[in-house]
Amino acid sequence: MAYQLYYWPGLQGRGEFVRLALEAAGSAYTDVARGDAAAGQGMPALLHCLQDESAERQPFACPVLKDGKRVMGQTAAILLYLGPRLKLVGASEVDRIWTHQIQLTIADAVREAHDTHHPVGMGLYYEDQLPEAAKAAKAFRTQRVPKFLGWLETVLARNPKGDKYLVGARMSYADLSLFQLVEGLLYAFPKATRRAAKKTPHVMALRDRVAQHKRVAAYLQSERRIPFNETGIFRRYPELDA
């Protein structure tokens, strides 16, 4: 049975980290909200998933993954579940916990990237918080981007199995998530990210390696890959980059 992924149509967002894992593994899945409402998919199905009053364990927000009767939310939790099933994580408990820790750190970076354009509140438009966004973006691009990418560079350099992947000697879901993080940062903060990239060659090499993975490359060229846009997590506002 194909996995069912519930995420907002038209957005990469946090759902993209799950999509990349499913695509890289060649696993069958349905991107439910992008389907036909007449066929029981689309936005009605997504809203039912989030608002089902009969659910004993209600997801808080998208992304949500359904695998038969199993329902789970939160990107890192979904990838923790999918990792062994898609062969995108090491076999040992130590490797799985370390991969999960890396994923959670990437999630922190993603949240901070989002908060550059919404530093005051989600209920406000970007235009309602311009001064605060300018301050948040400056701190993010000058301090946090180098720190996050620098830490990932150190993880790669210290991997006992070599510097090609974050954990072990083969690709994991954390590597796919690093790719997505770097792509998002290059879209939203191209100037600042390129400066940081000069000091993180292992990170950029891994980003290129993931992009060249056969299934990932095919996905990136397909219509299934939603383009970055200014309604997602990573948004390009030139005034926030320098």
Side-chain angles (χ1 to χ4, degrees), residues 60-132:
F60 178 74
C62 295
V64 175
L65 185 80
K66 289 188 178 181
D67 180 16
K69 294 182 179 180
R70 296 173 179 171
V71 181
M72 65 210 75
Q74 294 287 355
T75 304
I78 293 170
L79 293 172
L80 181 67
Y81 174 81
L82 286 176
R85 291 163 175 80
L86 301 182
K87 299 187 185 325
L88 287 173
V89 72
S92 73
E93 182 181 39
V94 171
D95 279 355
R96 293 185 183 188
I97 292 172
W98 180 224
T99 306
H100 184 53
Q101 180 180 328
I102 295 170
Q103 183 65 42
L104 289 170
T105 305
I106 290 173
D108 288 342
V110 172
R111 177 186 58 78
E112 291 190 26
H114 170 272
D115 288 352
T116 59
H117 51 77
H118 275 74
V120 178
M122 289 285 291
L124 299 174
Y125 290 107
Y126 166 63
E127 291 75 15
D128 296 327
Q129 44 197 318
L130 293 177
E132 295 87 355

Side-chain angles (χ1 to χ4, degrees), residues 48 51-58:
H48 176 73
Q51 300 170 4
D52 184 4
E53 296 182 357
S54 67
E56 293 182 2
R57 299 179 177 181
Q58 186 69 46

